[in-house]
Every structure is written in structure tokens, then in C-alpha cells.
Amino acid sequence: MSNKIKTTVGSHRIELTNLEKALFPGISKGELIRYYLKIAPVMLPHIKDRPLSFQRFPDGINAEGFYQKQAPSAYPEWIKRIPLGVKDIVDYASADSAADLVYFAQQAVIVIHTSLARADKPHNPDLLVFDLDPPADDFGMVKKTALQMRALLEGLDLKCYVKLTGSRGVHLAVPLDRSWDFGLVNSFADRVAGLYQRKHPDETTVEISKAKRGNRIFIDTNRNHFAQTAVAPYSVRAREGAPVAAPITWGELSNADIKPAQFNIENIFDLLANRADPWADIYRHGLPLKRAEGLLQSLENSEKS
DNA sequence: GTGTGCC
DNA sequence: GGCACACAACGCTGG
DNA sequence: CCAGCG
Ligand SMILES: [Mn+2]
Ligand SMILES: [Mn+2]
């Protein structure tokens, strides 16, 4: 009656239950599991070797969900754990095969978050992320800010990649060589965001307090810390229609019709059929921030005149 | 969603 | 077997 | 310390 089946993914047997249960209006748990199985080859390079955190919704996105950081003791031994923590040690789950993703989806994991650092050097991020959050559903303002932030970052001789978050905004990602720790990377990010914000005070803010943001884009640099996380590329979001966080090209962002929740567990495969993952090479382009910091200093100095 | 303790 | 129940986050920021 | 935030 409870609709159990066993399946094999790679070398692992996994029991799947309640495949017909709706986790989103009109979208079943079976469809979620199928998505993670199918996206695995493209997604795994982005989450491999990173501590993962999850948002789980066993009774669907319109019921109560919860966050999970500590990997449950009941996980099979083939799911690797990454022990990390600021105060107490948490054994984070990790994923290096499609079987891991299928197992997580069976547990009603809908959203996957990752650290911006890999497990072998957990205090030194290989990505710097600027999270651009619009006050309402004004994506036009987000696009403009993203393009100008990219120009600023490229002016500092850095690379900048973009993904739609699948909810309301975008993430800009700057690949790093891991020579700086989170403390240094975060203060660099704060200075870049601050410089941009002072140039565009009516369109953007760096205020955490929602009350102080007004009708402006929040440039959020607070993901760039040890044990903080950002939604993973190709993660599903817990929203109607099962949208996904989608890496896109800068050309695609400029498209007049683009929307932040444009891609979902079905149509993301049409996009990937027509072109490769735009982030496929991101980790080959990690750069140091040392020289960028010098260039940033010059820009800050020339503000004063 | 899953492991446990208990009738 | 089947039911009730517990349990599944945390670190940073500004005031 | 606490409330707010993601
Ligand atoms: Mn955001
Ligand atoms: Mn900071």
C-alpha cells in the first residue's frame, strides 16, 4: 500500500517510497527523484567535496519543512560525511555520485545548499558570491545591477559568473584560488559591494535590515563565511513549479524575457541540450584577490576626489 | 522520512 | 505488525 | 545580550 520499490543507482540499492505523493502542486516525489538522477552529471562537479545542507519537505512545499545540517546516523556508509564546525562539530553530508542525490531526494530533500569552500581547505573559499535580492519582483533592476557589478569585477581583473537562483534574484560568483580565507574574502566582498552601492545609492543597498532596504536591490555578501552556505547550482527550489537554480550565460541574462525562476526540473534539460553548463569551467579559473585588492584600493581612493 | 520502543 | 513519538540549523550582524 | 536575517 505504501508504494515501495527498490532500484539500483550505480552500485547501490536504494528503496524508494511514495513516488506518487505530490511534493509540489502537480509534481510528484518520483519526478523530483528523477530530476536529481538526471541532473547528477552536470550538478555533481559543483557540489562534490563540499559540505551540504538541506531543506526537506516530507509533506510537500506547502506543509512545514525543516533544515538539515547534521547527517543522520541512519545514512548508509557509502554516503560520505564531512565533519566541520565553528563551535560544535557537525557531520555534513556530501555527494559524489548520482546515488547520493537519489538517496537524498527519497528523504524529501528539495533544496541543496553548499559551502563556498571545499572540504580539504574549508576556511579558504574557491568562490566569492554576491547575492542580489530585489525588494519585490523587479528583475529588470537585478539584471542591470548584475551587468554593472560584472563590469566592476572584470575591471579588477576578476572573472564573474551568474546564476538565476530560481526564486527572485541572481548570484554572481567569482572563482578564487583559495589563497585567502573567509575573513579576508568577506572583507574584500564588503568593500566591492560598498563601492558599488555608493555609486548607485538609489538602486542598491547593503543593509541587512529589511526595514532599511527600501525599494532597492540588496547586495548580500554574507554568504562568504565559514559554515555559511549558498544554494547549489541546479538545486531545486521549494516553490510552485519546481524551479531550479540555473547557471546561465551573460548573453542569456540580457535576454528581454529572462526571469529568475525561468528554469525548472523539466525545461532545464532543453537549455542543457542546446549548450553546455556555463559554469563547467569555473573552478579552472580561480584567481587570487591580492592584485584585485590593490586595484580596488585605487578606485576607493579616487572616490574621495 | 525514518528509527525506536512498546503493546 | 502497527502505532506514537522524537527528531531532522546555525552563524553572522547591528543595535 | 537579543532580534533579525538568510
Ligand atoms: Mn538571494
Ligand atoms: Mn561581512
Side-chain angles (χ1 to χ4, degrees):
Chain A
M1 193 71 214
S2 65
N3 185 18
K4 281 187 203 309
I5 65 158
K6 278 205 173 184
T7 187
T8 301
V9 183
S11 57
H12 302 299
R13 289 295 277 176
I14 302 174
E15 185 174 277
L16 304 178
T17 61
N18 298 321
L19 295 177
E20 305 304 319
K21 182 173 182 175
L23 293 188
F24 307 78
I27 300 173
S28 68
K29 186 178 165 195
E31 290 171 281
L32 178 75
I33 293 170
R34 182 165 292 280
Y35 169 74
Y36 274 118
L37 176 65
K38 197 171 167 190
I39 201 68
V42 184
M43 183 175 190
L44 283 168
H46 299 293
I47 65 176
K48 192 174 143 26
D49 302 318
R50 293 174 197 275
L52 304 180
S53 330
F54 302 132
Q55 281 175 272
R56 294 174 56 191
F57 296 84
D59 295 314
I61 63 166
N62 291 325
E64 196 163 333
F66 55 90
Y67 281 83
Q68 177 190 312
K69 286 183 182 243
Q70 174 69 47
S73 56
Y75 275 4
E77 80 294 339
W78 45 267
I79 294 185
K80 296 196 185 77
R81 293 152 181 276
I82 298 175
L84 278 183
V86 173
K87 185 170 174 287
D88 299 308
I89 299 299
V90 172
D91 297 301
Y92 291 87
S94 71
D96 57 14
S97 73
D100 302 60
L101 291 175
V102 168
Y103 186 88
F104 298 145
Q106 158 58 24
Q107 308 251 75
V109 168
I110 290 182
V111 190
I112 300 179
H113 300 265
T114 70
S115 171
L116 300 179
R118 299 201 298 270
D120 63 334
K121 207 170 178 183
H123 292 276
N124 293 50
D126 62 354
L127 295 176
L128 185 172
V129 168
F130 296 94
D131 176 9
L132 306 187
D133 289 333
D137 288 339
D138 188 349
F139 195 61
M141 202 154 65
V142 173
K143 286 168 62 169
K144 182 185 158 204
T145 303
L147 290 160
Q148 293 179 157
M149 284 281 290
R150 177 201 188 200
L152 171 58
L153 290 161
E154 290 186 346
L156 301 175
D157 288 340
L158 296 171
K159 294 251 179 198
C160 184
Y161 293 72
V162 62
K163 74 173 184 279
L164 304 174
T165 64
S167 56
R168 296 165 118 187
V170 301
H171 285 179
L172 305 181
V174 177
L176 306 176
D177 71 350
R178 304 203 286 177
S179 56
W180 282 12
D181 68 15
F182 276 109
L184 293 168
V185 171
N186 180 251
S187 53
F188 175 86
D190 285 349
R191 285 168 59 192
V192 173
L195 176 69
Y196 185 91
Q197 195 278 330
R198 291 189 298 277
K199 283 207 173 84
H200 305 273
D202 297 332
E203 290 86 27
T204 60
T205 176
V206 294
E207 290 284 356
I208 291 179
S209 162
K210 286 188 171 183
K212 292 183 183 172
R213 288 184 203 167
N215 187 37
R216 296 178 292 180
I217 306 275
F218 175 38
I219 306 175
D220 183 4
T221 57
N222 294 305
R223 306 301 83 209
N224 302 288
H225 283 289
F226 184 72
Q228 298 294 108
T229 64
V231 69
Y234 303 104
S235 172
V236 181
R237 306 310 306 268
R239 300 171 74 91
E240 180 119 6
V244 303
I248 57 169
T249 66
W250 288 101
E252 286 160 356
L253 183 70
S254 301
N255 188 308
D257 298 327
I258 197 83
K259 293 191 194 73
Q262 173 100 25
F263 299 105
N264 57 48
I265 62 171
E266 297 294 338
N267 67 8
I268 188 68
F269 294 106
D270 301 335
L271 188 63
L272 287 166
N274 289 318
R275 55 110 175 102
D277 174 14
W279 285 30
D281 66 352
I282 190 169
Y283 309 108
R284 294 183 204 288
H285 292 285
L287 295 171
L289 291 180
K290 188 175 169 57
R291 187 157 63 112
E293 197 274 338
L295 294 168
L296 176 60
Q297 184 68 61
S298 319
L299 293 179
E300 288 169 337
N301 291 344
S302 62
E303 269 185 302
K304 291 164 190 159
S305 55

